[in-house]
Amino acid sequence: MVDKDKIRRLLKQYFDTTGEITISDEGLVSCNGYVILRQGTKHERLPVAFDRVDGNFYCTNNHLTTLEGAPNSVSGDFACYNNQLTFLKHAPNSVGGDFYCGSNDLTTLEGAPKSVIGMFECSLNRLTTLEGAPNSVGGDFLCTLNKLTSLEGLPVVPGTLYLSYSPTLPLLRCLLAKKVVTTKPENSTVQDILNQYAGQGEAGAFECGAELATAGFKENARW
């Protein structure tokens, strides 16, 4: 039998919350306000399991190695940056605000939400591709300071795509974004060419690739 009093004690001990808290017979917590796991609790997993949070959910700056127990849905922002995560399994299925998973040890985005209404940020990880990224993102997409060898998995980005430039990284998939910003200003030529065709997707790939190759960026002129 679920000990709801124990769950309430754990919530009070390790979390800051606002709004009404309900606990299901299965022991899952729902909250109609924000939920914050206090920083420095040194937990490897969340002390309690959540179902729904109608607000922001933050579990940043801790020692989490798994998102087991994270809410199934979050209507606001979800942030799990600066932990020790190597995968996103158990992340929410949908996020109504922004999703932040930067500064971890992620080698894959598998398990990320299928839909993020706001921006998606996965910088400062060990990603080599973007496979597993959300199917839809409503804002910017930040993937700087990874080890990308491919942009496979990048969805359509109605905002700005931020990424670290590499002379061997295929960049034509960047055209799925409305705007592109690379982290090395000395490669502004590449950025300028990409932004001439940004938002055109595959339709602009041929002409963009030709311009990149002519400018001396043949390795980047690949989808």
Side-chain angles (χ1 to χ4, degrees), residues 67-175:
L67 290 177
E68 186 174 358
N72 292 316
S73 65
V74 174
S75 66
D77 299 340
F78 180 92
C80 59
Y81 58 79
N82 200 21
N83 277 290
Q84 298 171 11
L85 300 170
T86 57
F87 54 83
L88 291 175
K89 185 179 180 182
H90 305 298
N93 291 317
S94 63
V95 173
D98 301 331
F99 184 94
Y100 303 90
C101 60
S103 299
N104 277 288
D105 294 313
L106 298 175
T107 58
T108 176
L109 292 177
E110 294 294 337
K114 299 300 181 184
S115 172
V116 173
I117 301 301
M119 64 176 282
F120 182 87
E121 190 271 332
C122 59
S123 299
L124 282 164
N125 279 290
R126 296 189 290 124
L127 301 170
T128 56
T129 79
L130 299 175
E131 292 180 281
N135 295 328
S136 65
V137 172
D140 298 337
F141 193 107
L142 292 77
C143 55
T144 60
L145 299 173
N146 277 288
K147 299 181 179 181
L148 295 175
T149 59
S150 164
L151 296 181
E152 186 74 29
L154 180 71
V156 172
V157 179
T160 301
L161 170 65
Y162 296 85
L163 78 164
S164 299
Y165 175 78
S166 165
T168 59
L169 180 63
L171 291 178
L172 293 183
R173 198 178 291 264
C174 290
L175 304 186

